[in-house]
Amino acid sequence: MRTPDPTLDRRALLRRTGGGLALLVLGPVAAAVEGCGKKALSCVDTAGLSFADAQTRVTLQYVDRALDPAKPCRTCRHFRTAGEAACGGCEVVKGPINPGGGCQSWAART
Ligand code: SF4
């Protein structure tokens, strides 16, 4: 008679795969949500931009969340705010700009 292999216990297997599956499914959702269920501001819609303006975003490596936390758009001289909870604008990079975003053309205010 075979003795059950403790490493193949169904509960343990479900726990392991269920946990991994939950991370796989809920990870991106959790990343899009900040704090107490507040949805993160997204300023990535470039549908209304010309090809050249959209290309500038790519060339200057605009991202919706600054790679350098010390240099977010909200502190850049080129940023035009529409409030902290709304997409603003930029003199250099056209289209919606996240106050927490960033790009290669960040410049300190003088
Ligand atoms: S130049 Fe770059 S860092 Fe500055 S506001 Fe525009 S997109 Fe943000």
Side-chain angles (χ1 to χ4, degrees), residues 27-52:
V29 173
V33 175
E34 288 182 350
C36 306
K38 183 177 157 193
K39 192 169 187 243
L41 179 63
S42 175
C43 305
V44 296
D45 183 8
T46 58
L49 295 181
S50 68
F51 176 79

Side-chain angles (χ1 to χ4, degrees), residues 62 71-73 76 78-79 89-90 92-93 97 101-107:
Y62 171 79
K71 295 180 177 178
C73 291
C76 175
H78 303 298
F79 185 63
C90 173
V92 178
V93 177
I97 301 295
C103 87
Q104 296 293 309
S105 288
W106 182 92

